[in-house]
Amino acid sequence: MRLFLVRHGESLGNIDEQAYRQFGDHNVPLTQWGYRQASEAGGAIASFLRALPSARRGKLHIWYSPFLRTRQSKDALLEALPESFVGDIREDYLLREQDFGLFTEIYDHAERKQKFPEEFEKWARLRNNSGKFYARPPDGESRADVAQRVRLFLQTVMRDAEPDDHNVAIVGHGVTNRAVEMNFLHHSVDWFERSDNPGNADVTLIEGTRSHGYQSILLHQACDREPGQESDLRDAYGADVTLTPKGGG
C-alpha cells in the first residue's frame, strides 16, 4: 500500500489570517500560487507512479477534505495526473481541519485572551496540566480528537484496500495529515508534539506492507514564494474575491 499525504496549497489564510474571518475557515480559497503548488504536487505523484512497473502501478484513489482549499487542491492534482492513473475520488468530512471552537478565526493569543478571558485561562490550564495534544479549545477539538476521527477514516481506507498494490492520495490539512501519519505508523503522542505540520502542497509518502511494515518519506517539497515574488499570484484562485483591509467596513 502507498499513501500520498498532500497538504492543501497556499491559501489566502496562509498569507493573511484576516481571510479566516472574512470567508470562514471552511470557505478560504487557495491563492493562484497555491493552485500552482498543488498542481506541481500532482505532477510529482504522477512521476512516481510512472516510474513503477505497470503491473505494480494500480489506480490512485483520492480522498479529500470538504473545505474549499482542499477541494481546489484536489482539482489541481487531477489536472496533473493522467486520467488512466485515477480511480475513485471521494470526499470525507473526517478529513476536515481541526475545529478550534470559539478560537476559530482568531490566531493571536492576545486577542483570544481579550475576547474570551475565562475560556482562554481554562484552555491555558488544560494545556499546562494535560498537554497540548489533549487540551480542547472551548467548544472545539483537541488534537487527540482529530487523531481519533482520522483513525475512523483509516478503517474505511483499509476496508477498501485491494489485495494487490493499492494507492491512496489524501488531500487534507496540516494537523489532519499529521494525525494520519501518526495513526498509520503507530507513532507516539510525543512524536506528534515534536513534529511540524507539512508545508503547503508538500507530499509525504507512506509505503510498505503489513508483513514488512511501513515507512514514510517526504516525496515532494513545494517551493515557497520569495518575498514580493509574482504578487499577482497572491490573488484568490477561481473567484473574484479580495481581502478586506483590517478596519474596513
Side-chain angles (χ1 to χ4, degrees):
M1 174 174 277
R2 300 177 192 90
L3 293 182
F4 299 89
L5 306 182
V6 185
R7 187 185 176 192
H8 62 80
E10 177 192 81
S11 73
L12 285 185
N14 293 129
I15 61 175
D16 190 336
E17 293 175 356
Q18 190 75 5
Y20 296 110
R21 302 184 186 186
Q22 184 168 336
F23 301 105
D25 192 10
H26 70 289
N27 208 33
V28 172
L30 292 180
T31 62
Q32 297 283 348
W33 181 270
Y35 195 87
R36 176 187 291 186
Q37 286 181 314
S39 179
E40 290 175 354
I45 295 173
S47 295
F48 180 90
L49 293 175
R50 283 193 189 96
L52 295 174
S54 57
R56 293 185 51 211
R57 188 173 298 149
K59 294 284 188 178
L60 179 68
H61 305 283
I62 299 175
W63 293 87
Y64 60 95
S65 156
F67 282 24
L68 177 59
R69 55 192 180 273
T70 39
R71 298 201 315 270
Q72 291 178 328
S73 297
K74 172 264 300 180
D75 292 341
L77 250 68
L78 289 173
E79 285 188 6
L81 287 162
E83 187 175 349
S84 60
F85 284 15
V86 179
D88 297 326
I89 306 168
R90 296 174 181 169
E91 177 182 292
D92 197 307
Y93 68 95
L94 293 173
L95 294 174
R96 67 191 185 277
E97 177 63 292
Q98 180 181 1
D99 183 354
F100 288 94
L102 289 180
F103 296 157
T104 298
E105 303 163 16
I106 306 174
Y107 283 77
D108 181 67
H109 274 12
E111 187 176 354
R112 289 173 172 178
K113 187 174 183 179
Q114 179 185 7
K115 288 193 172 184
F116 305 104
E118 294 183 7
E119 292 86 351
F120 183 87
E121 290 300 331
K122 179 180 178 181
W123 180 61
R125 288 197 304 272
L126 287 172
R127 284 163 62 93
N128 184 58
N129 295 331
S130 302
K132 188 177 181 180
F133 186 77
Y134 301 102
R136 289 190 181 103
D139 298 329
E141 291 181 299
S142 68
R143 292 178 171 185
D145 294 326
V146 175
Q148 283 185 309
R149 60 172 159 87
V150 162
R151 181 169 291 188
L152 290 175
F153 164 76
L154 285 174
Q155 290 178 8
T156 299
V157 171
M158 298 308 294
R159 181 198 67 195
D160 293 348
E162 297 162 351
D164 299 319
D165 285 70
H166 190 67
N167 302 311
V168 176
I170 297 172
V171 186
H173 307 266
V175 172
T176 311
N177 282 11
R178 197 149 43 113
V180 171
E181 186 173 359
M182 174 190 182
N183 275 292
F184 205 88
L185 297 180
H186 306 296
H187 286 319
S188 65
V189 170
D190 182 62
W191 173 89
F192 192 99
E193 295 291 40
R194 287 186 290 104
S195 63
D196 296 320
N197 283 345
N200 292 120
D202 283 358
V203 181
T204 299
L205 170 63
I206 300 175
E207 185 177 23
T209 65
R210 289 183 179 179
S211 57
H212 293 92
Y214 294 88
Q215 293 182 334
S216 67
I217 62 167
L218 180 61
L219 179 68
H220 170 74
Q221 186 167 23
C223 295
D224 289 330
R225 67 167 76 247
E226 298 294 331
Q229 182 184 28
E230 298 183 87
S231 60
D232 59 313
L233 294 177
R234 295 169 66 90
D235 296 336
Y237 173 80
D240 185 18
V241 296
T242 56
L243 285 171
T244 301
K246 291 184 178 180

